[in-house]
Amino acid sequence: MINKFQSYVDNIQESDKKKLLILPLIILVVMQIIGFFLGMASVFIVSFISIIKHKTIDFEAFLSGTSFINLITYTLLLFFTILLIKQNTRSKLSEIGINGENGIKYFCFVSLVGIVMATIVFLLLFFSNSILVEMNENIIYVDIFKVFIVFFVLALGDQILMRNYLLTFFTKIMGIKNSIISTSFISVLIFLIAKGFKILDIKTLIFLLNTFLAYILNSLIYYFYGNMWLVVGISTLNNFFETMVFGSKLDILYAINPLFKLRIIENTIILNGGNYGFEGGIFYTILYLTGVLFMLYKINSEKVAERNIKLN
């Protein structure tokens, strides 16, 4: 299975080490700048509409990060990501793993993994009295589909930029281990920059650790299986169930009308993650760490099996 990812690396026609390292970083920075300006434009549009209609409900939905305007912004970001990669890569997009191979099959299969992850953490928090829960009787079913698409687009954009592009190109010059650590560190650095390098409390440190572990896990999954839709499926359904079903925040993202209305218990923030949501708690730390160790075991087992075949 590892050979599939390696074939993507081998397909890269660029041989200049500086371009293999610097160009992906430039594109990453450009995408952050584009994202900032698209976000500012969205704020202006939503504010203008709210003033015209004399309602603040549109702006409140916008702040959740899961409104229709947000979805348009994320879709434009996805478009610019693919466009920039295509314009600055000699290889075809399909040659670096950006394709629809077994997309529906793998997405549907691993969706169960994402659902199980979110459900396990929710149940652990519920039975440890770290959260209070009540059913929401005013569900808007259109919102369910919209929030699902939001997290699908976000997961797809993250996969294409951070793993199909950065991870693959970095591996060409520094090997898979250093590449996984580097891209995971970059994801944490982006978060710190977005937060303005504020003083870190314990819940922020746990959230950063979980972000780092999540990127390592996703990179290991992509490295082992060589199929982008596995990671997209896990990320989409895990985030969707956290927010839309169980009512948790995902850093600044949340659902306006989740299936369950959630209230966190303040003295158990280390478990429930506080304002960061479930992903800021140690249950996700344990979950991600277990996943990383499992994938390392599978990768090592495959390499040992390949060596034995060659010896025989």
Side-chain angles (χ1 to χ4, degrees):
M1 292 185 180
I2 295 172
N3 294 334
K4 194 169 185 180
F5 174 81
Q6 189 58 47
S7 71
Y8 299 149
V9 177
D10 295 337
N11 285 337
I12 298 173
Q13 299 175 22
E14 185 62 65
S15 57
D16 188 327
K17 290 186 177 180
K18 289 183 179 179
K19 288 184 178 180
L20 285 168
L21 179 63
I22 296 175
L23 186 57
L25 290 176
I26 291 174
I27 289 179
L28 179 65
V29 172
V30 170
M31 286 310 305
Q32 301 308 309
I33 295 172
I34 291 174
F36 172 78
F37 282 107
L38 284 175
M40 293 300 293
S42 300
V43 171
F44 174 78
I45 292 170
V46 173
S47 300
F48 180 75
I49 293 173
S50 296
I51 292 171
I52 295 297
K53 295 171 63 177
H54 302 289
K55 292 181 180 180
T56 60
I57 186 169
D58 293 327
F59 196 74
E60 291 170 359
F62 173 74
L63 291 177
S64 73
T66 56
S67 69
F68 184 70
I69 294 292
N70 296 123
L71 177 57
I72 293 174
T73 302
Y74 303 145
T75 304
L76 288 172
L77 275 174
L78 176 61
F79 169 77
F80 284 119
T81 298
I82 296 173
L83 181 65
L84 283 174
I85 292 174
K86 187 175 182 179
Q87 294 297 320
N88 293 278
T89 304
R90 285 203 215 159
S91 307
K92 295 179 180 179
L93 294 180
S94 59
E95 292 177 342
I96 58 172
I98 304 175
N99 55 57
E101 183 182 352
N102 294 318
I104 296 176
K105 174 185 174 183
Y106 282 155
F107 183 90
C108 293
F109 176 73
V110 298
S111 293
L112 295 174
V113 177
I115 293 170
V116 169
M117 287 172 61
T119 303
I120 287 173
V121 173
F122 172 76
L123 292 176
L124 287 171
L125 289 171
F126 180 76
F127 287 112
S128 63
N129 296 318
S130 300
I131 54 175
L132 295 177
V133 179
E134 63 175 310
M135 286 290 296
N136 181 9
E137 297 179 356
N138 299 310
I139 296 292
I140 300 175
Y141 291 98
V142 174
D143 282 353
I144 296 176
F145 179 72
K146 179 190 66 180
V147 172
F148 177 83
I149 298 299
V150 162
F151 284 114
F152 172 76
V153 172
L154 286 173
L156 183 59
D158 180 70
Q159 167 63 29
I160 290 174
L161 182 60
M162 298 303 294
R163 282 170 286 280
N164 288 98
Y165 188 48
L166 260 71
L167 182 67
T168 307
F169 272 65
F170 283 5
T171 302
K172 184 82 172 180
I173 57 172
M174 64 176 72
I176 188 62
K177 291 181 182 178
N178 292 330
S179 299
I180 288 177
I181 293 172
S182 298
T183 53
S184 301
F185 175 76
I186 287 171
S187 68
V188 172
L189 184 61
I190 290 172
F191 173 83
L192 286 172
I193 293 173
K195 295 296 182 182
F197 290 96
K198 293 190 296 186
I199 296 175
L200 304 180
D201 53 17
I202 184 65
K203 63 181 180 182
T204 304
L205 288 173
I206 294 175
F207 182 79
L208 290 176
L209 174 61
N210 289 349
T211 300
F212 184 75
L213 289 174
Y215 270 83
I216 287 181
L217 176 59
N218 289 338
S219 296
L220 288 172
I221 292 171
Y222 183 57
Y223 170 62
F224 184 75
Y225 292 102
N227 190 292
M228 60 182 285
W229 299 106
L230 289 167
V231 179
V232 173
I234 292 173
S235 298
T236 300
L237 269 296
N238 177 57
N239 296 339
F240 174 76
F241 264 71
E242 275 187 74
T243 55
M244 189 67 223
V245 177
F246 299 131
S248 171
K249 292 185 69 175
L250 188 64
D251 188 16
I252 60 173
L253 302 177
Y254 58 93
I256 295 293
N257 266 307
L259 181 62
F260 291 105
K261 291 182 178 180
L262 190 73
R263 188 163 70 86
I264 61 173
I265 306 300
E266 292 296 330
N267 61 358
T268 59
I269 283 178
I270 195 171
L271 298 178
N272 58 42
N275 291 332
Y276 290 113
F278 296 169
E279 297 262 359
I282 60 171
F283 287 137
Y284 258 104
T285 307
I286 297 169
L287 206 60
Y288 284 140
L289 189 57
T290 302
V292 167
L293 293 174
F294 176 72
M295 288 309 303
L296 289 174
Y297 168 76
K298 284 184 71 68
I299 291 168
N300 185 63
S301 298
E302 173 131 330
K303 289 183 175 180
V304 170
E306 286 181 355
R307 282 198 295 267
N308 290 337
I309 290 172
K310 290 179 181 179
L311 289 173
N312 291 333

